[in-house]
Amino acid sequence: MRVMIIGDVVGQPGCDFLRKRLPAFKREKKVDAVICNGENSAIGNGILPQSANFLFDSGVDVITGGNHSFKRREIQDYIEEHPDLIRPANYPPGVYGNGWYRLDLGNASILVINVLGQAFMDPMDDPFRTCDRIISEVKADFVIVDFHAEATGEKMALGYYLCGKASAGVGTHTHVQTADEQIIDGKTGYISDLGMTGPIRSILGTLPEDIVRKMTTHLPTRFNVPDGPCKMEGVILDLDKKTGNCTKIERFQLR
Ligand SMILES: [Fe+2]
Ligand SMILES: [Fe+2]
């Protein structure tokens, strides 16, 4: 089983680049399923029904979210009707949508879980025990966790915590791909951050001049996503059905 996981898709340039490159890349890599973080896929940030549909139509099977999952109100009804778009599972109880999705591929199933970190983020329930609870309740051949968090130490702690319980734990949110892909103790695939899908000349997907203006003036600044050449970043996992473990993790950056 080969699974591709793609880092945060930013704005229309990120969506367009993914649509242009994903179909052929999927064929080339012989991938069985694609998971993608879409919390910044809408024009103006967040995720909208249009941007979610665009990612699904481009070949994505499961979309994960993060701290921007509910930035746009229009997604509230959509997420209730589309269980393959998930938001962090450690949001308070009763929030729209679901924090996990079981992708059934016929010959195998993948439980995808999305959780938010606690360091430098809004207060949320414990991501570690949230994962435990879902893994014990939902049976699947493989478990993949998108850990949407700021701090690499916290992400690595969850990676080790999930070792032997999940097939892979991958970090999102910081939009800068890390070079620490590994298989923890020969069991669980791990990377601190998948990276980003969006404009290369940008700061985390935003026009650099907007960020610099904000940081040097502290004035309210509208963040724009620039046009220009894009990249798509993420990992491809080989998963073993007998053990549920990850046997190979390949980091990629497509330009
Ligand atoms: Fe993001
Ligand atoms: Fe985020």
Side-chain angles (χ1 to χ4, degrees):
M1 164 76 64
R2 302 201 92 192
V3 182
M4 183 184 292
I5 319 179
I6 301 170
D8 304 42
V9 179
V10 183
Q12 197 62 46
C15 286
D16 288 340
F17 189 74
L18 180 140
R19 171 160 291 189
K20 199 167 99 189
R21 301 299 295 275
L22 181 60
F25 193 48
K26 263 174 84 170
R27 279 196 302 276
E28 179 196 328
K29 294 291 183 181
K30 298 186 170 53
V31 160
D32 301 295
V34 178
I35 302 164
C36 164
N37 188 293
E39 66 146 10
N40 310 115
S41 58
I43 297 168
N45 211 353
I47 182 162
L48 282 167
Q50 301 92 298
S51 66
N53 285 333
F54 192 93
L55 295 176
F56 284 133
D57 292 346
S58 305
V60 172
D61 297 296
V62 182
I63 303 175
T64 57
N67 54 315
H68 291 130
S69 278
F70 294 111
K71 186 155 186 193
R72 310 296 281 272
R73 211 154 43 107
E74 297 93 318
I75 207 65
Q76 293 174 356
D77 290 337
Y78 183 96
I79 203 168
E80 292 281 344
E81 293 154 11
H82 296 80
D84 40 4
L85 166 64
I86 60 175
R87 46 78 175 165
N90 49 343
Y91 261 92
V95 166
Y96 298 94
N98 207 356
W100 57 269
Y101 179 69
R102 187 179 176 278
L103 178 66
D104 199 339
L105 296 166
N107 57 345
S109 56
I110 307 171
L111 169 61
V112 185
I113 303 172
N114 189 193
V115 279
L116 269 177
Q118 293 180 308
F120 316 115
M121 307 284 271
D122 285 348
M124 291 286 161
D125 291 346
D126 180 340
F128 298 82
R129 289 175 185 87
T130 298
C131 287
D132 279 343
R133 179 178 52 77
I134 297 167
I135 291 168
S136 71
E137 285 172 6
V138 186
K139 293 297 161 228
D141 296 302
F142 306 105
V143 178
I144 294 177
V145 178
D146 172 349
F147 192 25
H148 199 80
E150 199 77 65
T152 46
E154 189 187 18
K155 292 182 189 186
M156 294 190 87
L158 190 77
Y160 273 87
Y161 186 79
L162 291 172
C163 182
K165 304 176 187 176
S167 315
V170 297
T172 55
H173 177 67
T174 53
H175 292 207
V176 177
Q177 189 178 61
T178 54
D180 63 340
E181 76 276 15
Q182 59 193 284
I183 300 174
I184 296 175
D185 293 343
K187 294 177 180 168
T188 299
Y190 174 83
I191 187 167
S192 291
D193 203 284
L194 292 172
M196 177 193 85
T197 302
I200 296 166
R201 188 190 179 279
S202 74
I203 297 176
L204 315 185
T206 297
L207 185 72
E209 287 71 18
D210 291 348
I211 302 286
V212 171
R213 178 181 187 272
K214 172 81 179 169
M215 293 209 164
T216 53
T217 65
H218 294 275
L219 291 169
T221 303
R222 193 190 151 89
F223 289 168
N224 295 288
V225 179
D227 288 322
C230 286
K231 60 181 177 177
M232 182 169 92
E233 295 175 324
V235 295
I236 297 167
L237 307 169
D238 283 12
L239 306 176
D240 176 17
K241 199 172 170 191
K242 264 194 237 116
T243 59
N245 290 341
C246 179
T247 53
K248 188 180 169 200
I249 178 165
E250 178 192 348
R251 177 165 52 90
F252 69 83
Q253 183 193 76
L254 215 69
R255 289 190 178 213

